[in-house]
RNA sequence: GGUCCGGUAGCUCAGUUGGAUAGAGCAUCAGCCUUCUAAGCUGAGGGUCAUUGGUUCGAAUCCAAUCCGGAUCACCA
């Protein structure tokens, strides 16, 4: 919890006038209400006994105590409770509440201008506003997890942006965060692109074809599937069943042999594998750098795929697992409503889930984390449920604190993305297009003609990527979302560039009128509607960070930051800042603008989106 | 078939520890640039919150049933 000195709290001597200075105004109101109910009715209530909401715009007031449940337990009419409680709050907490009205079961309270202006005075220049002090807790966030046989696509982008943003949000909530990635660099699917390269490439390389390495390898993965399909078809024509043909196709047999050779460590296969993977990594590096992803630790499946075997033995000893007659090892999860799950094949090799059990333990031993978050698509909900259950049954450390941040698939307006049908949206192509679009818009508007070429490139990147990240992060992670190409390059309305633009607008004013040059508040003239509206939403920022952290949900921040920008823009249109009615108003508005810019910058940073000074 | 997730405006999404007349953006229509950046602002139209029943002062939100969509239930990863 943040702690800030309550300069704006005036101590009046009454014991009941103790203030809860580091709290949000909502918590404050809850505490005051509890105290009031106790004083008035000599009965103990908790915050769960009544509801506090933001007052609807059509009514007078800032926050509302919903009294229906109180009416029931006190057996009193709303007017009675409302006038007693409202009167009490105004009398006992004059620094917080200045007026009230009662409509049906709603007690609407007006928060004093003193409260808002003191908040503004104290927080307007605080770039760490809303962020919590380090708690000493450590959390691992695993995300991205690409395969080394094809380039990154739209689905990976959602994953990467989510992982990055959740890491930033957790940092803001006081966690130490370790970002990790598990690279799926081995297995039959990796061998497919290797075999296709051997058969069809004639020694071509990314350099010889001027192709980005991951795309280069990706074409051979596609080529494999095409050629394999042809082989299967011709075998079917020659009389085999489809199943037989799929097994007997020469390409598949070669691939399976290659996998065996890889596992046996045959030098020529290992060399080819290393070479092709290095091509892919060169490509990934470029993409990760462009989209602003990075990791503190990268695990490779080629190193981890043998993990977990000791654990399987321990599980047998503990009778968590059992062995079937053929030698394969299983766990029975039917009492949990799941199925039986294999953890070791009859040939003694470990399966996908076994590696994950091993990796969990390895990560724990390495980092001693308090929580381990996996950013993985919802198609793996079952897998992750089983993983956690097994870890718990084995009594592995911190198994209860495995959290699957399950996100929904990204679909296209035309339907689902399918790698094999070529309906995927490539990450690099998309980034290119977004940057190109931002260039076009910027040139049309012609506001930054004095920028150098380098500055312009940086700006196009900021806007293009900002639009894309915001577009993918503004939706609740767990929901399947639709990617609409036209909508994604729209820079108006609920978009990243809209928020960035609002920031640039403010900065333009502050360059002319630095806020530091002004005397401190207090302010005597009453706050106008839009001034207060801005302060009300700015006051909510710490709570938003907390909520986003608790829910592992960046869309909470995206929605918030958009609303802040929207309210600021209304305010900006309605009220002049530099040429305000009075000097006092000018000071207040400059500070409001400063605080708004800081919150926008801070919130966007939690989404991994920089904001420009000009655009 | 079992399990899980979802269904809110033409489209994309908010809103669900039960609260006032269900909100944004896009799209459509009507306005606003001698004035701090119009990537902006103001206003209008647009809803059987999938359906039905239940719980209660009050249901988009909770419960039950039904319909529709998706994911998953591999000795693949």
């Amino acid at each position: 919890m943040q702690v800030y000195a309550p300069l704006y709290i005036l101590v009046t001597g009454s014991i009941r006038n103790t203030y809860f200075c580091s709290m949000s105004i909502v918590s404050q109101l809850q505490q005051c209400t509890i105290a009031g109910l106790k004083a008035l009715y000599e009965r103990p209530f908790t915050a769960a006994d009544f509801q506090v909401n933001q007052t609807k715009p059509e009514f007078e007031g800032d926050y509302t105590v919903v009294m229906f449940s109180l009416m029931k337990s006190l057996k009193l009419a709303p007017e009675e409770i409302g006038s007693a409680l409202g009167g009490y709050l105004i009398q006992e907490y004059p620094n917080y509440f200045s007026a009230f009205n009662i409509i049906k079961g709603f007690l609407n309270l007006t928060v004093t201008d003193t409260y808002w202006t003191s908040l503004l005075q104290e927080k307007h220049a605080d770039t760490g506003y809303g962020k919590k002090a380090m708690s000493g807790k450590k959390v691992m966030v695993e995300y991205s997890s690409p395969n080394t046989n094809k380039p990154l696509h739209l689905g990976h982008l959602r994953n990467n942006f989510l992982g990055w943003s959740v890491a930033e949000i957790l940092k803001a909530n006081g966690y130490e965060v370790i970002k990790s990635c598990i690279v799926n660099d081995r297995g039959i699917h990796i061998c497919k692109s290797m075999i296709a390269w051997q058969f069809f490439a004639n020694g071509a390389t990314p350099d010889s074809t001027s192709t980005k390495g991951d795309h280069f390898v990706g074409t051979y993965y596609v080529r494999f599937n095409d050629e394999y399909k042809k082989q299967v078809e011709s075998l079917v024509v020659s009389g085999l069943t489809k199943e037989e043909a799929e097994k007997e196709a020469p390409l598949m047999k070669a691939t399976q042999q290659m996998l065996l050779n890889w596992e046996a460590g045959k030098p020529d296969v290992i060399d080819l594998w290393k070479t092709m993977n290095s091509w892919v990594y060169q490509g990934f590096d470029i993409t990760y750098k462009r989209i602003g992803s990075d990791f503190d630790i990268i695990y490779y499946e080629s190193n981890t795929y043998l993990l977990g075997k000791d654990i399987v033995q321990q599980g047998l000893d503990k009778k968590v697992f059992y062995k079937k007659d053929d030698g394969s090892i299983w766990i029975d999860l039917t009492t949990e409503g799941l199925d039986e799950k294999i953890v070791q094949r009859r040939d003694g090799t470990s399966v996908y889930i076994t590696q994950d059990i091993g990796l969990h333990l390895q990560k724990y031993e390495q980092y001693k984390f308090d929580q381990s978050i996996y950013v993985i698509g919802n198609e793996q909900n079952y897998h992750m449920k089983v993983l956690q259950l097994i870890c718990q049954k084995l009594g592995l450390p911190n198994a209860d604190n495995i959290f699957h941040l399950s996100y929904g698939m990204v679909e296209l307006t035309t339907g689902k993305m399918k790698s094999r049908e070529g309906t995927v949206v490539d990450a690099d192509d998309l980034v290119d297009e977004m940057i190109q679009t931002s260039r076009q818009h910027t040139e049309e508007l012609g506001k930054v003609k004095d920028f150098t070429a380098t500055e312009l490139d940086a700006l196009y990147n900021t806007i293009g990527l900002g639009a894309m990240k915001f577009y993918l992060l503004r939706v609740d992670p767990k929901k399947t979302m639709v990617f609409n190409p036209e909508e994604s390059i729209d820079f108006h309305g609920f978009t990243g560039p809209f928020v960035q633009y609002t920031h640039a607008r403010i900065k333009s004013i502050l360059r002319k009128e630095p806020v530091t040059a002004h005397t401190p508040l207090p302010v005597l003239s009453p706050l106008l509607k839009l001034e207060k509206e801005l302060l009300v939403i700015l006051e909510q920022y710490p709570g938003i960070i907390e909520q986003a952290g608790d829910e592992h949900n960046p869309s909470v921040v995206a929605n918030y930051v958009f609303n802040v920008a929207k309210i600021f823009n209304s305010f900006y249109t309605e009220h002049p800042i530099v040429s305000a009615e009075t000097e006092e108003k000018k000071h207040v508005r400059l500070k409001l603008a400063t605080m708004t810019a800081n919150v926008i910058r801070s919130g966007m940073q939690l989404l991994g989106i920089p904001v420009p000074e000009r655009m």
Side-chain angles (χ1 to χ4, degrees), chain A residues 313-467:
Chain A
Q313 189 53 52
Q314 288 165 23
L316 273 176
D317 296 343
K318 288 186 188 172
K319 298 206 163 33
V320 174
F321 301 146
Y322 65 94
K323 197 178 259 190
K324 285 194 177 174
D325 291 343
D326 65 2
S328 58
I329 300 175
W330 297 71
I331 184 166
D332 184 357
L333 298 172
T334 48
T335 50
E336 276 80 14
L338 305 175
D339 303 293
E340 293 185 336
K341 186 88 186 171
I342 190 162
V343 294
Q344 191 174 94
R345 299 188 187 98
R346 62 169 170 252
D347 64 8
T349 56
S350 56
V351 296
Y352 179 45
I353 198 142
T354 322
Q355 303 168 37
D356 276 349
I357 298 165
L359 187 57
H360 169 76
L361 197 58
Q362 183 177 322
K363 281 170 157 182
Y364 182 76
E365 282 165 358
Q366 204 169 347
Y367 291 104
K368 300 284 189 293
F369 53 74
D370 297 286
Q371 193 184 23
S372 181
I373 296 172
Y374 293 79
V375 182
I376 306 179
N378 61 12
E379 70 223 342
Q380 299 210 36
N381 285 357
Y382 182 78
H383 171 79
M384 291 305 295
K385 204 168 170 182
V386 171
L387 174 64
Q388 178 163 32
L389 254 177
I390 293 179
C391 289
Q392 284 168 331
K393 282 180 176 261
L394 288 169
L396 297 183
N398 248 324
D400 293 342
N401 294 317
I402 290 174
F403 178 80
H404 177 202
L405 174 46
S406 164
Y407 65 91
M409 298 293 101
V410 184
E411 292 179 0
L412 304 176
T413 42
T414 49
K416 293 187 179 189
M417 290 198 293
K418 286 185 177 150
S419 311
R420 287 179 199 152
E421 293 170 20
T423 54
V424 287
V425 175
D426 180 77
D428 292 314
D429 291 349
L430 185 59
V431 173
D432 287 342
E433 196 185 334
M434 296 301 289
I435 292 172
Q436 182 52 38
T437 307
S438 77
R439 171 194 297 272
Q440 200 182 316
H441 279 251
T442 306
E443 282 172 358
E444 278 168 14
L445 290 168
K447 292 180 186 178
V448 287
K449 285 178 176 158
D450 57 325
F451 272 37
T452 65
T454 322
E455 285 171 335
L456 282 174
D457 279 342
L459 181 62
Y460 301 149
N461 262 288
T462 299
I463 298 173
L465 277 162

Side-chain angles (χ1 to χ4, degrees), chain A residues 205-275:
Chain A
T205 67
D207 279 345
S208 76
T209 56
S210 302
T211 311
K212 193 162 165 282
D214 49 342
H215 288 96
F216 180 83
V217 172
T219 58
Y220 290 98
Y221 183 64
V222 172
R223 184 73 185 269
F224 177 94
N225 285 315
D226 292 347
E227 299 289 342
Y228 173 58
K229 206 172 159 189
K230 281 186 214 162
Q231 290 188 351
V232 170
E233 277 164 11
S234 70
L235 285 172
V236 169
V237 170
S238 69
L240 282 116
T241 64
K242 195 171 180 224
E243 239 171 53
E244 288 167 342
E246 279 169 357
K247 276 186 193 160
E248 292 303 316
L251 271 176
M252 186 53 81
K253 291 195 121 177
T255 307
Q256 274 157 352
Q257 184 57 46
M258 182 178 261
L259 184 60
L260 290 175
N261 291 343
W262 183 90
E263 292 194 0
K266 278 192 74 177
D268 57 324
V269 174
I270 297 292
D271 281 349
L272 177 61
W273 172 73
K274 281 186 179 165
T275 304

Side-chain angles (χ1 to χ4, degrees), chain A residues 121 124 515-523 583-584 587-588 591:
Chain A
Q121 175 62 20
H124 73 275
V515 74
T516 47
H518 299 288
T519 50
L521 305 165
V523 175
E583 274 300 297
E584 181 191 286
H587 299 172
V588 171
K591 281 179 172 152

Side-chain angles (χ1 to χ4, degrees), chain A residues 186-198:
Chain A
R186 64 161 287 282
I188 194 86
H189 54 302
I190 306 299
C191 292
K192 286 178 181 176
S193 46
M194 288 161 67
I195 282 288
W197 184 85
Q198 275 190 337

Side-chain angles (χ1 to χ4, degrees), chain A residues 123-162:
Chain A
K123 295 297 166 193
H124 73 275
D126 180 0
T127 51
Y129 171 59
K131 296 184 179 175
K132 292 182 191 169
M134 294 299 281
S135 65
K137 298 255 184 186
K138 201 184 270 188
V139 57
M140 284 196 85
V141 180
E142 179 189 289
Y143 70 104
S144 200
S145 309
N147 293 345
T148 58
N149 61 356
K150 52 176 184 276
L152 303 178
H153 58 68
L154 183 52
H156 292 111
L157 291 179
R158 190 178 196 191
N159 182 308
N160 274 274
F161 298 156
L162 269 175

